[in-house]
Amino acid sequence: MRCSGLGSSARKPRRESADSGGNWNNGANCGSRCSNWNNSPWNSNNNIGARGRCDNPTSLFQLRALTGLGPDYQGGQPGSLASANTLLGEGAASSLAKAIGKTRQPSTFFTFFVGQRYKNLFPAIVADANLRIAYRLTALGKRQTLGFLAYKEESEVRLADLRSALLAGTYRPQPPHEFWVYEPKARCISALPFADRVVQHALYRVIGPIFNCVLMGRCYACRVGLGTHHGVVAVQAELRRLVREHGPEQVYFLKTDFRQYFANIDRGILWHEIERKISCRRTLDLIERFTPRTGTGLPIGNLTSQLWANIYGHIFDRWLVAQGALHWHRYMDDVVVLGTDWRALAALLKRAEAFAGEAMGLRLSHWMVAHHTQGINFLGYRIFARHKLLRPASVRRARRKLRHFARHDEPEARQRFLSAWLGHASWADSRNLQRSLGLIFAG
């Protein structure tokens, strides 16, 4: 006899296609877009409501991002445990699998989770294959330097010795070579010896994707698939959308940056951010070789300094989101916030000054709150809703260098400069400018 009523324990036959739900371990049916609403309130259970699991766990920050393997790699399924074994060695790949995520099958990708702390990363860093790839990455663009040529002569022995020193804990970076550059402003560059740059590349290949998961999509500096031009396009696209939705008279911007950003980063605060993601003691010790735990400042020119500067700026990103800012963009220390109320932007600027000083030990500089028709100076361009122009300072430097090359008869240096500068100028409306410089001709 079947009972009926509110207290009934009977259940209707479950329809897979209609319910699209299931309990929390129901595999593909517990994605964020899966829920069933057919149960009455008094018969509620875990089948009701949206699920908190990713729809496609194999599509997030896969091992391909870590290893740099493309789809044409023939050493196994790209991003799979097989390719990880080929790249890192079976022991290191197994350690990385335990440290970074759970492998459902031998051919599934590793997944990075934003709230997770990672341990046992050191075997992947010092894996022989990882060091070899780091060596090749370090050599890119440096094959005519004395450092590479000296290292290349005995590269097999040197890499083996480097790995042994890392495993034994006796590795120590050598003093860097420091020099000054004065364009576009005076900066001290710290260039590490070739072997130390190999170690930094090996370290970055493992921890870089982990921290990249933390950064928000509106942070563009030193990230694969983003960068300068992506940031400029994103700012202009959002500016156009706000102008279209609110009218051209109602859109303003806040532009600011941090004073002497790299030199004033508090390493104690930075290390708090690092240890929020990494708990591997030997990896932390290796990081400390390049970045001490106390004091202020990061050396410009180190690969790890770019990553740590991004992570430090992420503190400000989180604060902007907490303040309700929706239309912000950041490239390292340059920040742009768009809005429809200039008073709100001015108030945000005052709060930002207080937060940067108290929580980050930084000071804001070169700030302005203005109407968008004045043009947003961001990443070397003046961005307007309908067009982009090069910044006047960039144009002045280009004219000065072209005159220098003509005066000293240096055609090869001129061609190298123009190859880079025209690539930068082509992202702006610069045809008339190029014609005035004699780089293109009317016709």
Side-chain angles (χ1 to χ4, degrees):
M1 178 177 178
R2 300 183 63 181
C3 299
S4 61
L6 300 182
S8 172
S9 60
R11 296 287 184 270
K12 295 180 181 180
R14 186 173 179 276
R15 295 177 297 170
E16 296 287 343
S17 60
D19 290 351
S20 298
N23 48 26
W24 293 103
N25 61 353
N26 197 25
N29 284 338
C30 57
S32 62
R33 294 173 180 81
C34 295
S35 61
N36 58 7
W37 300 88
N38 59 323
N39 288 356
S40 55
W42 54 82
N43 189 26
S44 63
N45 52 39
N46 281 343
N47 289 345
I48 294 181
R51 305 300 191 260
R53 173 177 166 179
C54 173
D55 296 348
N56 184 10
T58 64
S59 65
L60 297 175
F61 301 103
Q62 301 149 347
L63 184 64
R64 186 182 304 170
L66 173 67
T67 61
L69 298 178
D72 299 329
Y73 178 68
Q74 302 298 321
Q77 177 72 21
S80 67
L81 186 60
S83 61
N85 285 335
T86 303
L87 177 72
L88 304 176
E90 295 184 3
S94 176
S95 300
L96 186 61
K98 295 177 182 178
I100 295 182
K102 299 177 181 179
T103 54
R104 294 161 55 199
Q105 294 177 358
S107 61
T108 55
F109 294 94
F110 298 132
T111 302
F112 298 111
F113 297 94
V114 173
Q116 181 178 345
R117 294 180 73 206
Y118 299 92
K119 57 184 180 180
N120 201 24
L121 299 174
F122 194 73
I125 296 171
V126 300
D128 181 68
N130 189 44
L131 288 174
R132 290 176 183 274
I133 294 179
Y135 165 69
R136 291 198 292 270
L137 290 174
T138 308
L140 292 177
K142 305 293 183 181
R143 296 187 180 277
Q144 302 301 320
T145 63
L146 293 177
F148 169 75
L149 295 175
Y151 202 90
K152 179 184 177 182
E153 291 298 320
E154 300 176 344
S155 60
E156 292 294 330
V157 175
R158 291 176 183 270
L159 286 175
D161 292 343
L162 184 61
R163 184 170 188 269
S164 298
L166 289 168
L167 289 172
T170 59
Y171 166 77
R172 298 292 186 277
Q174 298 300 310
H177 168 62
E178 295 184 346
F179 59 94
W180 286 82
V181 297
Y182 299 94
E183 292 286 352
K185 59 184 179 181
R187 292 171 296 175
C188 180
I189 306 299
S190 178
L192 287 170
F194 189 88
D196 297 328
R197 281 181 278 145
V198 171
V199 175
Q200 286 206 349
H201 272 284
L203 174 65
Y204 185 86
R205 284 172 52 75
V206 174
I207 67 173
I210 294 174
F211 286 102
N212 189 62
C213 297
V214 176
L215 299 175
M216 300 182 188
R218 294 171 178 264
C219 167
Y220 306 105
C222 307
R223 302 180 69 187
V224 176
L226 298 178
T228 302
H229 299 135
H230 189 102
V232 171
V233 171
V235 169
Q236 187 179 48
E238 191 153 55
L239 175 60
R240 287 175 173 174
R241 181 173 62 81
L242 290 176
V243 168
R244 183 172 62 251
E245 293 177 354
H246 300 278
E249 295 80 15
Q250 300 299 320
V251 180
Y252 302 85
F253 70 90
L254 161 64
K255 170 64 175 68
T256 187
D257 60 19
F258 298 109
R259 186 186 302 276
Q260 296 182 345
Y261 182 56
F262 277 80
N264 291 318
I265 288 178
D266 188 313
R267 293 198 289 263
I269 299 174
L270 172 64
W271 267 94
H272 175 73
E273 296 294 314
I274 294 174
E275 292 183 322
R276 291 178 63 179
K277 297 303 300 177
I278 296 180
S279 61
C280 175
R281 176 49 52 192
R282 300 197 70 183
T283 301
L284 292 175
D285 290 342
L286 180 58
I287 293 173
E288 193 172 1
R289 305 288 187 206
F290 299 103
T291 309
R293 290 178 176 267
T294 59
T296 59
L298 295 175
I300 300 176
N302 285 12
L303 181 61
T304 54
S305 295
Q306 300 175 4
L307 177 62
W308 303 144
N310 258 346
I311 294 301
Y312 203 77
H314 181 65
I315 302 173
F316 195 74
D317 297 347
R318 297 198 302 261
W319 180 83
L320 285 174
V321 172
Q323 294 295 309
L326 300 177
H327 314 296
W328 60 271
H329 303 267
R330 181 177 66 85
Y331 188 98
M332 204 60 79
D333 62 324
D334 288 341
V335 181
V336 171
V337 183
L338 302 176
T340 57
D341 185 349
W342 72 269
R343 294 182 181 85
L345 291 177
L348 178 66
L349 173 63
K350 292 183 178 180
R351 298 197 302 272
E353 286 181 318
F355 174 80
E358 296 173 3
M360 303 175 67
L362 298 175
R363 296 175 58 191
L364 299 183
S365 66
H366 302 101
W367 60 266
M368 67 179 301
V369 178
H371 196 262
H372 74 94
T373 54
Q374 293 191 23
I376 305 172
N377 284 329
F378 190 55
L379 303 182
Y381 301 89
R382 292 182 65 200
I383 304 172
F384 300 86
R386 293 182 177 272
H387 62 283
K388 296 188 294 290
L389 300 176
L390 293 180
R391 294 182 62 182
S394 176
V395 177
R396 288 194 298 269
R397 286 194 298 270
R399 292 183 184 275
R400 185 169 61 249
K401 287 187 176 181
L402 289 175
R403 288 195 300 266
H404 171 82
F405 296 141
R407 188 183 308 116
H408 294 85
D409 191 20
E410 299 178 0
E412 294 183 358
R414 180 180 186 274
Q415 186 57 44
R416 288 196 299 269
F417 165 74
L418 286 178
S419 298
W421 187 81
L422 288 176
H424 172 69
S426 65
W427 286 81
D429 298 272
S430 60
R431 185 173 181 82
N432 290 336
L433 171 64
Q434 295 180 44
R435 184 179 292 115
S436 71
L437 295 175
L439 303 179
I440 59 175
F441 302 95

